Amino acid sequence: MREPEPISVDYVVAGAGVAGLRAAIELSRGGRVLVLAKGNVGESATAVAQGGIAAALSDEDEISLHEQDTIRAGDGLCDPQAVHGLVEEGPQDIQELIGWGTQFDRSGTRLAFTREGAHSRSRIRHAHGDSTGWEISRALFAKAATIDRIELRPQSFTIEIETSPESAGIAGLRFLDEKSGREARVVCRAVLLATGGLGRMYPETTNPPSATGDGMAVGFRAGAVLSDMEFIQFHPTALAAPKAPPFLLSEALRGEGGVLRNAMLERFMPHYHEGAELAPRAVVGRAIGSDVRRARSSHVYLDLTGLDEEYVKKRFPRIYATCLTYGIDITEDMIPVRPAAHYAMGGVKTDLSGRTTLAGLYAAGEVAATGVHGANRLASNSLLEGLVFGARAGQAMLEDAPAPHGSKKQSGRGQKGPAKQKHHSSSGTVSNGPAPAAGSVRAAHAEEEKPEPVLGKIREILGSRVEILRDGKELARAIHELDAMELPAPGGPERRAWEIYNMWTLARVVARSALAREESRGSHYRSDFPYRDDDRFNRHSIVTREGPVRFE
């Protein structure tokens, strides 16, 4: 049977979260852009993000303080240039979002701010109380829908990056068109990976069902370098109620005054860190993990009962309603919580403008390792990173692979990133999609799945041996067990088979990277190497499909 003709566009964006949509808006200034959304409109980690987006916009704040807080949380591995770009460009990019219709919460006529862990100032903007990601997603979709050059294709799952033998660069990609049940091919000038994270490979995660590491895996198979894959951030407070999935309970709950209590209902965080409940996430998560092990319990408690009842309901409407469905009134009851896999600091290695180690391939958002987060992400910096580096990546794609003379380049945002930094390393109808309607975005907790035996085994290995508290013996055992599974690469139009293969591929990389880093830093804690070792490991890990984990 003859293969159908490929779709031809100027640029392809795989992923429709904040990074992908912001890049697509930027790219539309210079050519036709195809955005491939894995699921339906609005089903991304952006859409379910609760807490907020950080930037120095309040009168009491300064860009330099946000920069210091980010670097401090990153525990020695932040790229200073990346952090400076993030915090410097963030305020004006958020103002741009507001100009596009994003409705952040206000106190009177002024923007409302809250504080989260490891922030020295109240600089977190939120929307609809605890639905910030949804509001940002809504505004970006609405903006994109007004631009004729942006085409959104839902239910399109990226499975392979295609390279050009002549140029050794990217020629396009293949994806599964789930509406037709067939593979499709796109040829283009450049590809941006903006597919999000990998949390669904863990047994307990706050991530939406789409977070199966697809962009990291396809980039890795194509030959791109992955970096810092050992650094998996576990959110300290996921709901641990009976029969409830691990729904994320925003750090803003603690920022507003919630406290953590152990099985004896004693407040314990002041014993671990001077910041108490607002210590860096890695510290809070490990403290909870240690307390749970010591008490042989399954959870600790988050206590909001000392806060004003009406304020809690108004400030956290989605969290209040969700917990109520599991019989917990957060204004009256202690909330059972425990850590769950939440965010990957590592990913496809990029420069400061989203360029990967493969010509023509770019990455932005959680799929990328930009150096912004170092060993531990500062709370509410992820939406900001997607916004800032999505725009930077789009700008770099226009500069590196300009559309042919048929597409007029429109004036856009000025050059704000650094000079080019090249890395060199050892069909169907497409149409604009609507903005997601209120209530259309499914929360990560809403879909409980019965995993296939292979996926269940992967999750069991990671949950017991590559967890928040690690040691070399268990990591080595995890690698052995994962390698022994020997999954063959899928060859048909079955999305779930590809997702499981992607998660298995990345589980092996994460375990190998964690074993290679013989120290404790940020979100990576080794009980057999409990101290930070700057002499040997104040460097980023890198791994390719051909070789072992190295440190650069």
Side-chain angles (χ1 to χ4, degrees):
M1 184 175 178
R2 184 180 176 183
E3 186 176 83
E5 287 294 316
I7 301 167
S8 180
V9 295
D10 294 307
Y11 308 103
V12 174
V13 175
V18 59
L21 290 173
R22 183 60 188 88
I25 292 168
E26 193 72 18
L27 286 166
S28 69
R29 303 181 189 278
R32 293 177 55 225
V33 188
L34 175 61
V35 179
L36 301 177
K38 178 177 177 177
N40 294 316
V41 169
E43 294 180 352
S44 68
T46 294
V48 299
Q50 296 174 2
I53 183 167
L57 281 168
S58 72
D59 293 340
E60 68 166 19
D61 204 0
E62 297 177 14
I63 287 173
S64 61
L65 295 177
H66 189 188
E67 186 171 8
Q68 291 170 16
D69 292 346
T70 299
I71 290 173
R72 187 180 300 114
D75 207 4
L77 281 187
C78 290
D79 181 329
Q81 284 185 284
V83 174
H84 185 73
L86 177 81
V87 301
E88 186 179 57
E89 297 173 26
Q92 65 190 62
D93 285 356
I94 289 177
Q95 293 291 1
E96 184 176 56
L97 269 185
I98 294 172
W100 291 343
T102 305
Q103 298 176 12
F104 291 110
D105 293 338
R106 292 180 178 270
S107 178
T109 60
R110 307 180 71 178
L111 287 172
F113 298 92
T114 191
R115 187 178 300 192
E116 294 183 353
H119 285 273
S120 61
R121 295 289 188 275
S122 295
R123 64 169 63 99
I124 316 301
R125 259 145 320 287
H126 46 84
H128 309 296
D130 53 3
S131 297
T132 311
W134 178 86
E135 173 60 17
I136 290 174
S137 182
R138 181 203 63 77
L140 287 172
F141 270 113
K143 173 65 176 177
T146 67
I147 303 173
D148 290 340
R149 288 178 174 178
I150 297 177
E151 306 169 16
L152 173 67
R153 187 161 188 154
Q155 297 179 30
S156 299
F157 176 69
T158 302
I159 59 174
E160 183 182 15
I161 300 296
E162 292 192 333
T163 57
S164 168
E166 294 80 16
S167 65
I170 301 304
L173 58 74
R174 289 183 175 271
F175 67 93
L176 294 180
D177 180 350
E178 294 200 81
K179 289 185 177 180
S180 68
R182 296 181 178 180
E183 286 189 18
R185 181 170 173 251
V186 187
V187 294
C188 59
R189 307 182 68 78
V191 170
L192 174 72
L193 298 174
T195 52
L198 45 67
R200 297 301 284 196
M201 71 184 191
Y202 274 89
E204 293 195 350
T205 179
T206 62
N207 287 191
S210 60
T212 54
D214 309 310
M216 296 180 197
V218 298
F220 183 66
R221 288 196 293 270
V225 170
L226 299 185
S227 179
D228 292 341
M229 294 296 288
E230 64 271 32
F231 295 116
I232 306 294
Q233 186 178 77
F234 288 75
H235 198 285
T237 53
L239 183 63
K243 298 182 180 180
F247 173 64
L248 184 147
L249 297 171
S250 171
E251 195 156 339
L253 291 164
R254 287 174 277 134
E256 296 288 356
V259 298
L260 291 165
R261 301 188 184 279
N262 60 22
M264 302 299 293
L265 301 186
E266 300 165 335
R267 189 180 179 193
F268 60 89
M269 274 310 303
H271 300 301
Y272 287 93
H273 193 276
E274 61 184 8
E277 280 78 12
L278 295 183
R281 283 180 175 176
V283 174
V284 179
R286 284 198 298 272
I288 293 174
S290 298
D291 200 272
V292 164
R293 284 188 177 186
R294 183 167 49 252
R296 297 183 180 179
S297 174
S298 62
H299 58 266
V300 297
Y301 295 98
L302 179 59
D303 180 9
L304 307 179
T305 60
L307 307 182
D308 179 77
E309 178 178 341
E310 292 306 313
Y311 178 76
V312 169
K313 290 179 180 178
K314 182 179 179 180
R315 175 69 176 82
F316 303 104
R318 182 173 159 217
I319 293 174
Y320 177 79
T322 299
C323 289
L324 207 58
T325 64
Y326 296 104
I328 300 170
D329 184 334
I330 65 174
T331 66
E332 299 179 356
D333 305 321
M334 300 280 188
I335 313 168
V337 297
R338 60 172 168 258
H342 181 57
Y343 192 89
M345 270 67 72
V348 181
K349 182 176 175 57
T350 72
D351 70 1
L352 302 183
S353 296
R355 300 178 181 93
T356 75
T357 52
L358 295 180
L361 182 65
Y362 302 74
E366 190 174 354
V367 71
T370 62
V372 160
H373 304 306
N376 189 39
R377 175 176 66 92
L378 181 66
S380 290
N381 266 357
S382 53
L383 289 174
L384 187 70
E385 183 202 24
L387 191 65
V388 171
F389 284 86
R392 279 189 169 201
Q395 189 176 49
M397 293 166 75
L398 292 177
E399 293 171 357
D400 299 345
H405 62 275
S407 297
K408 289 186 179 180
K409 186 172 181 178
Q410 303 172 10
S411 60
R413 89 192 226 157
Q415 173 66 35
K416 296 168 62 180
K420 292 184 183 180
Q421 297 183 29
K422 296 290 186 181
H423 275 298
H424 300 284
S425 170
S426 68
S427 74
T429 302
V430 184
S431 61
N432 283 321
S440 68
V441 179
R442 294 183 299 169
H445 70 279
E447 181 172 323
E448 287 191 80
E449 59 183 358
K450 294 181 179 179
E452 299 83 344
V454 171
L455 179 54
K457 180 64 175 176
I458 294 170
R459 288 175 172 170
E460 177 189 349
I461 294 169
L462 291 176
S464 61
R465 312 198 195 291
V466 197
E467 54 174 338
I468 194 169
L469 301 172
R470 304 166 173 176
D471 70 70
K473 182 178 179 181
E474 291 299 312
L475 290 170
R477 186 173 174 185
I479 294 167
H480 174 75
E481 292 174 348
L482 289 166
D483 287 349
M485 295 177 71
E486 294 184 350
L487 270 65
E494 183 62 45
R495 187 181 99 175
R496 195 54 171 165
W498 282 104
E499 288 179 325
I500 292 173
Y501 186 69
N502 290 341
M503 287 186 278
W504 173 73
T505 298
L506 297 176
R508 296 168 70 212
V509 174
V510 169
R512 288 163 55 199
S513 299
L515 182 62
R517 184 173 287 278
E518 295 178 335
E519 67 160 355
S520 291
R521 180 190 299 266
S523 62
H524 171 71
Y525 183 82
R526 291 276 299 266
S527 60
D528 50 344
F529 293 97
Y531 302 107
R532 176 170 147 176
D533 184 350
D534 282 344
D535 290 339
R536 298 174 60 204
F537 294 107
N538 196 27
R539 297 175 291 166
H540 298 279
S541 66
I542 57 172
V543 60
T544 66
R545 63 186 180 185
E546 294 89 6
V549 177
R550 297 183 291 115
F551 291 89
E552 65 168 14

